[in-house]
Amino acid sequence: MKDAEAGIRGSYWLETAPPVEPAPPPSGDFSVEVAVVGGGIAGLSTAWELVRQGHEVAVLEADRLAAGVTGHTTAKLTALHTLIYDHLRRTRGPEGARLYALSQSEAIRHAAGIVAELGINCEWEEAAAYTYAQNPGRVAELRAEARAAREAGLPAEFVTETELPFSVAGAVRVSGQAQFHPRKYLLALADDLRRRGGAVYERTRVVGLTEGEPCVLKTDAGVSVHAEKVVVATHHPVFDRALLFTRLSPRRELVVAGTIDEALAPRHMHITPEQGTRSVRSAPYGDGKRLLLVTGEHFTPGAADVDKRFARLSAWADEHFPGLTITHRWATQDNDSTDSVPLVGPLHHGSRHSYVATGFGGWGLSGGIMAGRLISDLVGGREVEWSGLYDPRRLGSVAREGMSFLKHQAQVARHFIGDRLPAPTGPRPEDLAPGDGAVVRHGGHHCAVHRDESGRLQAVSATCTHLGCLVAFNRAEQAWECPCHGSRFAPDGRILQGPAVKPLEKRDL
Ligand code: FES
């Protein structure tokens, strides 16, 4: 975080993984059996499974491996996803809930097997997962969740005691889950993938996909990649003929982390839907300490009050864990699907050679590992019990998605219409303080104007290159963010996060 308080660092996972040289982009056109676009947990897991099964695979990552969303998570591997099972039981039936529990649990077991098989040092720890509430009014909801999760096949129980240093009204507990260091795990997976003959290209943004036999991908350097099969694992899909963006809501979430005495640190993973979500886990640190990670304060990208949200989260962590010294803070981004189930499978109704993995909500680690196995099975022509549950082509029934679909569409429509109206009177460029940014109307265009710490003004188009919503400035993270589908850009217009694949155009003031 650029303007974090003095001495506060960014993602702990990025800071503490071994440094590795970036893999160079491809030097020219090439052909491959399967091209995987995206080097996060879903893309690397898919690529690794495929290589292990004997396929020829290339991973194309726009930035660095496991440094985007995966490098900014809380790295909990659990099948207990806050309050999902009672919802699934009602919307997808008991069988849907069972398949969800089974597929997510299998993913965790599978990852444990990979860690053991490859001898990966990724601070793997078995832990229980808890969803708790302090408000007695939510106990009935927790009891229903415990019952639904148990019926779905998880070792779930309702409890009233946890290891947290404050009392709870109740909690759902599921044992046998895990937590780990996600970047160490994925860098080891990438090493093994290369050893088995797979190729990895970093700083290689894919900007075009023509489906066919073969499919042709175009990179931002003009390289063509011919592939029999393509997997789009870019968090929010950068290629989207099925208009999945209408079914995904972007959500940012903040993380604060700091050291705490080992004896005071919780060893299990905890989350509450209260207070805009609070999630707590700890990780090995050394010197008689553990690193406590607290996540929460979710918001739509482009919110103006991120500093206040960080302050509120830090205050909560301080109050609930006296003795905590905050050393790191960062933010992560999730995509919630409108029916709360990830979208993993064929990219669209007519696709025979292209696949997608997205919409993991806040649960992309177990979800990404599950997606890797599922897509590798689909590529290999194998039947998977839970492929129908996650099939992106299931979407289309607004009845099933109900209010969350309509809410998301209304919000996006507001941006599409509202963003085309003249900008309300706001700050003038000359009034911006160092580190501030604002959208202003200039020469008939919306301009995103930013003043850097040296006082220099720079302007780029405020129109998101994905589908044309207006970006807004996140001062705490020094980024232009699009509220519609979550694209993020640096103050100079460079892409930080898709689905946009083109930077914001420069503007003269
Ligand atoms: Fe879709 Fe900006 S991310 S319009």
Side-chain angles (χ1 to χ4, degrees):
M1 321 258 5
K2 237 179 172 176
D3 75 336
E5 293 154 43
I8 303 283
R9 284 113 71 189
S11 164
Y12 177 77
W13 311 126
L14 298 190
E15 180 188 280
T16 54
V20 277
E21 285 298 309
S27 54
D29 298 353
F30 69 96
S31 297
V32 69
E33 185 191 347
V34 188
V36 177
V37 187
I41 185 110
L44 280 174
S45 297
T46 305
W48 186 82
E49 300 289 346
L50 287 167
V51 165
R52 203 164 74 140
Q53 291 160 19
H55 296 276
E56 183 200 19
V57 178
V59 178
L60 303 143
E61 163 55 42
D63 190 6
R64 301 297 313 276
L65 295 180
V69 174
T70 304
H72 292 81
T73 63
T74 29
K76 296 155 86 173
L77 272 171
T78 172
L80 181 66
H81 297 172
T82 317
L83 296 170
I84 185 85
Y85 289 99
D86 194 41
H87 166 77
L88 285 176
R89 190 185 55 72
R90 283 182 278 110
T91 56
R92 307 295 295 266
E95 180 62 2
R98 182 186 77 81
L99 290 173
Y100 190 92
L102 182 61
S103 57
Q104 300 287 333
S105 301
E106 274 295 313
I108 299 163
R109 267 195 291 278
H110 185 62
I114 294 172
V115 168
E117 179 190 330
L118 302 183
I120 302 175
N121 174 13
C122 61
E123 298 159 24
W124 183 278
E125 295 179 320
E126 192 173 311
Y130 291 80
T131 299
Y132 73 89
Q134 292 185 275
N135 175 358
R138 296 198 81 143
V139 164
E141 205 179 344
L142 293 169
R143 284 189 184 280
E145 180 66 10
R147 197 163 44 244
R150 202 163 47 245
E151 283 168 12
L154 293 180
E157 55 183 333
F158 175 81
V159 296
T160 51
E161 297 286 326
T162 72
E163 60 173 345
L164 291 169
F166 48 86
S167 62
V168 303
V172 184
R173 177 184 194 277
V174 173
S175 57
Q177 312 299 291
Q179 50 192 10
F180 69 158
H181 189 305
R183 189 161 153 83
K184 287 184 180 175
Y185 170 81
L186 284 175
L187 291 181
L189 216 59
D191 278 348
D192 192 63
L193 181 143
R194 287 191 191 94
R195 263 195 301 276
R196 294 172 191 258
V200 173
Y201 302 101
E202 293 183 278
R203 296 181 175 159
T204 302
R205 186 175 298 281
V206 178
V207 296
L209 165 63
T210 308
E211 291 183 61
E213 294 180 358
C215 301
V216 182
L217 296 162
K218 272 275 179 219
T219 75
D220 53 355
V223 168
S224 297
V225 181
H226 294 77
E228 289 170 33
K229 310 267 184 198
V230 170
V231 180
V232 180
T234 52
H235 194 237
H236 200 299
V238 294
F239 305 113
D240 193 5
R241 262 179 59 187
L243 312 184
L244 296 179
F245 65 81
T246 60
R247 314 299 176 123
L248 294 168
S249 303
R251 168 167 58 87
R252 282 189 84 67
E253 204 151 27
L254 306 180
V255 184
V256 297
T259 52
I260 189 166
D261 283 348
E262 229 163 359
L264 301 175
R267 293 306 178 107
H268 300 288
M269 306 175 289
H270 307 266
I271 192 166
T272 178
E274 295 174 329
Q275 295 174 295
T277 310
R278 293 288 183 262
S279 160
V280 175
R281 67 158 282 196
S282 71
Y285 192 81
D287 289 338
K289 305 273 186 198
R290 283 181 69 87
L291 189 85
L292 185 82
L293 295 99
V294 178
T295 307
E297 294 291 327
H298 56 77
F299 57 93
T300 301
D305 58 349
V306 180
D307 273 323
K308 273 193 202 136
R309 291 173 181 275
F310 265 122
R312 199 155 53 213
L313 191 63
S314 299
W316 187 92
D318 275 340
E319 181 193 334
H320 289 80
F321 295 92
L324 174 70
T325 306
I326 292 178
T327 51
H328 297 73
R329 72 178 210 182
W330 66 88
T332 187
Q333 191 158 313
D334 299 311
N335 287 313
D336 296 324
S337 73
T338 41
D339 68 354
S340 305
V341 175
L343 313 174
V344 182
L347 183 56
H348 53 81
H349 281 276
S351 71
R352 287 186 296 136
H353 309 293
S354 51
Y355 305 86
V356 69
T358 186
F360 296 111
W363 305 100
L365 291 176
S366 61
I369 294 164
M370 180 281 298
R373 298 194 76 196
L374 174 50
I375 292 180
S376 66
D377 282 335
L378 295 177
V379 168
R382 288 179 294 279
E383 284 295 313
V384 190
E385 208 184 347
W386 43 79
S387 59
L389 175 71
Y390 294 106
D391 193 329
R393 297 170 299 184
R394 73 183 182 270
L395 297 176
S397 158
V398 172
R400 179 183 285 155
E401 298 158 64
M403 283 314 291
S404 77
F405 174 82
L406 297 173
K407 219 168 101 192
H408 178 53
Q409 288 313 304
Q411 186 183 331
V412 171
R414 245 195 332 272
H415 285 294
F416 269 91
I417 297 165
D419 293 353
R420 279 157 180 75
L421 300 174
T425 317
R428 297 171 308 165
E430 52 271 36
D431 297 335
L432 289 174
D436 270 347
V439 173
V440 302
R441 192 92 180 163
H442 183 77
H445 297 288
H446 285 106
C447 291
V449 184
H450 173 256
R451 188 185 293 282
D452 68 18
E453 293 301 333
S454 69
R456 192 176 62 99
L457 280 178
Q458 59 183 333
V460 292
S461 165
T463 305
C464 177
T465 56
H466 178 230
L467 290 174
C469 291
L470 279 196
V471 297
F473 195 61
N474 173 343
R475 191 186 196 286
E477 299 183 77
Q478 294 287 292
W480 295 107
E481 296 179 344
C482 181
C484 286
H485 316 108
S487 290
R488 303 181 69 242
F489 305 87
D492 64 2
R494 274 176 303 115
I495 301 170
L496 298 175
Q497 185 160 346
V501 295
K502 288 190 192 137
L504 298 175
E505 282 174 27
K506 303 265 185 236
R507 289 272 187 259
D508 284 332
L509 275 183

